[in-house]
Amino acid sequence: MRIRLIGSELAAVTAAAALASVGHRVHWQPHPQTPWPSLARADWLRREPQLLGQLEQALAEGGLVVDAANAPESVEVLWLALAPDQRREAREAAAQAADQREPLVVINNATFPVGETERLGECLGDEQWAVYLPDMLQEGRAWESFTRPSRWLLGSESPRATARVKELLRAFNRRRDVFQCMPLRAAELTKLAINGMLATRISYMNEVAGLADTLGVDVELVRQGMGADSRIGYEYLYPGCGFGGPNFSRDLMGLADVQSAQGRASALLEQVLEINEQKKETLFRKLWSHFRGELAGRRVAIWGAAFKPGTARIDQAPVLPLLRALWAQGVEVRLHDPAALPALAAAVGEQPLLTLCPDDPYAACEGADALLLVTEWKCYWNPDWARLAAGLRERLILDGRNIYDPDYVAGQGLTYRGIGRRADP
């Protein structure tokens, strides 16, 4: 099929490469705010497994053309993978495409307010339809989640449009039919509601972890007991120091905005968001408590800045409020992350209390009073405990993701404090 694709989000880059890889002819127009030369240098793209290589291959073979200025005269699919604040551009693109006489399907792949896909459809002419196919990618495995999807959520009210979308994505739908089809508004609300539910589970588990801390209970036992109940399960039931990321946070705010627009106050979502913001400072509070508020002049090591493993992004990442809290107390920070240091440096600028350690995580720990684990990169899971014990002056481990065994860490002569877990040497 002939496809015009607009956007500079991860969803746009992935769709451009994937659709071209299976024989479609894709004309990609990155957003003017983030043109292709800037995207090609972006750390988050270079760190995304397989994606940049697939993109370069599609460009070399000619199935993908990048041209921000010249739109093709006629296409079969207009794919809009824009940021939530780019609704005006989406409507302009739909109105422009309406001038063509050939039947057209406009795919809204963006997280816009509920009802926006219908408004895009109002820009179109006869034999042209707007459908909603939300971005369901997982950062750190975007190529895999697009080309081997567990499901496609499709909002469509036209059988002909539905058939065209299924044909468009047939190469990624061979093992079984993974399409879940429903009306437009139902699909838009479903996308927001999914992330709202997942965030609620995380925040609830973090509340339980706080209570476990107070009661002296190991929250890992509680988590296993809850997960064993078939009505609950184990997914998204891990306490930690808060979640971040562009899509998760935007979807939560989008769901809250939808409720507000309907005159419905969302006390639950407000609490979920508030709990998450509080949890982003939980490691700071543990550090404060351990040293009884005497933090000025201390040095800490931080492992992990990205909002999740596998990405170079720090959007709404827990490390940001943690750093602000530490610096406000005059704490020197030495930080290692295998991917996100350029993004962090760009976000915080020159900071005399921050030293970035790009090569060696143990270099961040030399002479530090404590190690704070913020992002659970695989390279942190099995550290050299003897080296840590020798390098950390106060031998304190603050585990913001509960990836370590408290008793084992204590057995190495270190003091362990996790989220709802603890052990002393």
Side-chain angles (χ1 to χ4, degrees):
M1 291 188 188
R2 290 169 284 112
I3 304 162
R4 179 187 175 198
L5 192 150
I6 303 176
S8 293
E9 300 287 290
L10 174 61
V13 181
T14 308
L19 294 171
S21 75
V22 294
H24 295 300
R25 288 166 289 168
V26 182
H27 183 103
W28 177 25
Q29 294 179 288
H31 193 272
Q33 293 179 357
T34 317
W36 168 237
S38 298
L39 274 175
R41 297 190 301 269
D43 284 313
W44 61 263
L45 173 56
R46 304 183 74 85
R47 295 284 182 173
E48 193 69 43
Q50 295 184 262
L51 184 52
L52 186 57
Q54 293 288 346
L55 197 63
E56 291 172 342
Q57 181 177 339
L59 288 167
E61 293 176 352
L64 173 63
V65 174
V66 180
D67 186 346
N70 302 307
E73 292 183 1
S74 180
V75 294
E76 295 165 86
V77 172
L78 171 61
W79 186 296
L80 302 174
L82 293 159
D85 61 350
Q86 294 169 349
R87 279 184 285 166
R88 178 179 58 82
E89 290 92 331
R91 293 179 187 179
E92 289 175 351
Q96 179 185 1
D99 292 337
Q100 74 171 44
R101 296 180 179 179
E102 188 176 351
L104 171 72
V105 172
V106 176
I107 294 178
N108 176 19
N109 189 229
T111 303
F112 293 147
V114 174
E116 186 63 25
T117 308
E118 290 177 0
R119 287 184 278 274
L120 291 175
E122 292 169 359
C123 301
L124 303 174
D126 296 336
E127 299 299 302
Q128 296 180 335
W129 308 273
V131 302
Y132 180 60
L133 187 76
D135 166 18
M136 307 290 276
L137 301 180
Q138 299 178 35
E139 292 212 30
R141 52 185 304 270
W143 177 261
E144 181 182 354
S145 53
F146 190 104
T147 58
R148 299 178 64 84
S150 60
R151 70 190 185 285
W152 292 104
L153 176 62
L154 176 61
S156 174
E157 296 173 5
S158 162
R160 290 182 64 183
T162 299
R164 180 169 293 189
V165 173
K166 287 189 172 184
E167 175 60 23
L168 175 72
L169 299 171
R170 180 167 50 84
F172 315 117
N173 190 41
R174 293 195 65 193
R175 291 178 296 170
R176 60 184 177 87
D177 187 358
V178 296
F179 278 93
Q180 185 178 14
C181 301
M182 59 183 71
L184 289 173
R185 291 197 173 203
E188 289 172 324
L189 182 56
T190 297
K191 171 60 163 63
L192 298 177
I194 288 170
N195 277 351
M197 173 62 80
L198 298 180
T200 300
R201 285 174 66 99
I202 294 170
S203 288
Y204 177 73
M205 199 63 214
N206 279 334
E207 283 288 271
V208 172
L211 181 58
D213 256 337
T214 302
L215 297 174
V217 172
D218 186 344
V219 76
E220 177 63 11
L221 300 175
V222 179
R223 184 192 70 81
Q224 292 182 14
M226 293 172 64
D229 190 315
S230 61
R231 298 168 297 177
I232 298 174
Y234 292 99
E235 295 298 319
Y236 285 80
L237 212 60
Y238 294 90
C241 56
F243 58 79
N247 295 336
F248 217 31
S249 301
R250 290 190 305 209
D251 283 1
L252 282 176
M253 295 303 299
L255 184 55
D257 289 344
V258 168
Q259 291 204 324
S260 177
Q262 301 304 312
R264 300 174 61 88
S266 178
L268 175 60
L269 280 181
E270 290 174 2
Q271 284 294 310
V272 168
L273 291 166
E274 182 178 343
I275 290 168
N276 187 54
E277 290 307 306
Q278 292 173 354
K279 289 302 175 183
K280 291 180 180 180
E281 293 190 0
T282 190
L283 293 183
F284 171 78
R285 291 193 292 270
K286 289 179 180 294
L287 188 73
W288 176 280
S289 176
H290 183 83
F291 291 115
R292 297 178 175 84
E294 298 178 0
L295 297 182
R298 292 196 177 273
R299 175 190 295 175
V300 301
I302 292 180
W303 281 0
F307 77 85
K308 61 177 283 188
T311 181
R313 294 192 177 189
I314 59 168
D315 308 60
Q316 291 85 45
V319 75
L320 297 173
L322 172 60
L323 287 173
R324 289 193 292 267
L326 291 169
W327 292 336
Q329 295 298 317
V331 177
E332 178 189 349
V333 177
R334 296 173 62 83
L335 192 148
H336 177 272
D337 186 285
L341 294 188
L344 182 67
V348 303
E350 290 293 329
Q351 172 51 252
L353 291 175
L354 175 64
T355 301
L356 301 180
C357 303
D359 301 319
D360 182 6
Y362 296 99
C365 300
E366 292 299 325
D369 294 298
L371 168 62
L372 285 60
L373 186 285
V374 176
T375 310
E376 66 276 28
W377 288 95
K378 290 300 183 185
C379 61
Y380 301 146
W381 278 71
N382 293 283
D384 183 335
W385 293 109
R387 190 173 177 183
L388 282 179
L392 294 172
R393 290 186 298 202
E394 298 290 338
R395 296 192 170 191
L396 174 64
I397 303 289
L398 299 181
D399 180 1
R401 299 299 172 186
N402 284 2
I403 67 172
Y404 301 130
D405 181 279
D407 293 332
Y408 185 85
V409 175
Q412 308 306 305
L414 295 147
T415 299
Y416 175 91
R417 298 287 183 268
I419 310 300
R421 312 191 78 191
R422 61 179 293 158
D424 295 310

